[in-house]
Amino acid sequence: MTLATIATTPTIVVFDLGGVLFDWNPDYLFRKLIADEAERKWFLANICNGAWNIQQDGGRSLAEATASLSARHPEHASLIAAFYARWAEMLGGTLAPGLAIFEALEAGGVPLYALTNWSAETFPYARGNAPYQPVLQRFKDILVSGEEKLIKPDPRIYQRMLERIRVHYPEAQPEHLVFIDDVERNVLAARALGWRAIHHSDPAATAAQLRNWGLPV
C-alpha cells in the first residue's frame, strides 16, 4: 500500500492489544485463589485494582509495586504477590472477533501497528509464547507503554507511535491513522490528536466503521 492511497483514506491501523486481540482478565487467576465472588470482586476493586496495575504499565517495577502494596495491606500480602508471580494465568488466549478484523486488514495489505498499555516486565511473555507471539510478529511495530514509560491516554504516547510509524511512512499524518481500543478515554485522546479512532465494544460495529472508511474488512 502506498502513501498515494493515504492521501484520501485512512490506510494505517493501530491496534490496542488487551480487550481487542488478546483476552486478559485478573479474574481468571483470582477465581482459583478467592472462592467467594463478592470477596474476589472487592479485592480486585480495592487492592490489586486497575489504578495500581496501570502504574506498572507506565514503567514502575513489579517488585516495587508488590512491595509497596503489601506494606499497605500486609493481611493480603500472599494474594498481592500472586498477581505478578502468576500473571500469565490471567491470559485467556486470543479474541476471535478482533483477530478476524486484524486478519482481514492484513490480507488487504493494510499496515498494522500496536499501541498497548502493558508492563515492560510482563510483555516478554507474550512476545515469546503462543498464541500471542504468532500475532505480535505480524505487526510492523509495537509500542509498549512500560518500555516508553508513558501510558495511554497521555498525548505523548500517541505522538511517539506516529514517530515510529513515520520510520516506515515518512509522510504519515494523524488523519491517516485508525486506532482501535476497548477503553473509551484512550479513543477520545486519539481523536483529540486528529486520529480516527474506534471504541471497540462491538466487533461487528468496529468492522462496519472500518468498511465505512474504505478499509478491507
Side-chain angles (χ1 to χ4, degrees), residues 82-103:
F83 193 95
Y84 290 116
R86 298 176 61 178
W87 174 88
E89 295 175 56
M90 301 179 193
L91 287 169
T94 55
L95 295 168
L99 197 57
I101 293 170
F102 172 91
E103 290 176 340

Side-chain angles (χ1 to χ4, degrees), residues 3-73:
L3 283 174
T5 312
I6 291 176
T8 55
T9 60
T11 56
I12 296 172
V13 176
V14 181
F15 280 89
D16 175 38
L17 295 177
V20 179
L21 297 179
F22 300 158
D23 184 14
W24 178 84
N25 189 339
D27 206 52
Y28 295 156
L29 168 63
F30 281 91
R31 286 174 196 163
K32 305 171 188 176
L33 303 177
I34 305 174
D36 182 79
E37 182 179 3
E39 182 182 347
R40 184 171 66 251
K41 286 183 176 179
W42 180 89
F43 178 83
L44 292 174
N46 294 281
I47 307 297
C48 289
N49 56 23
W52 171 75
N53 179 62
I54 203 167
Q55 293 181 63
Q56 289 67 269
D57 292 350
R60 183 169 68 169
S61 76
L62 306 188
E64 178 186 349
T66 301
S68 62
L69 191 62
S70 297
R72 294 200 303 275
H73 302 283

Side-chain angles (χ1 to χ4, degrees), residues 22-24 84-93 118-134 136 147:
F22 300 158
D23 184 14
W24 178 84
Y84 290 116
R86 298 176 61 178
W87 174 88
E89 295 175 56
M90 301 179 193
L91 287 169
W118 201 314
S119 164
E121 292 180 70
T122 56
F123 193 68
Y125 177 88
R127 281 195 187 274
N129 288 274
Y132 316 102
Q133 187 268 348
L136 294 175
E147 296 173 356

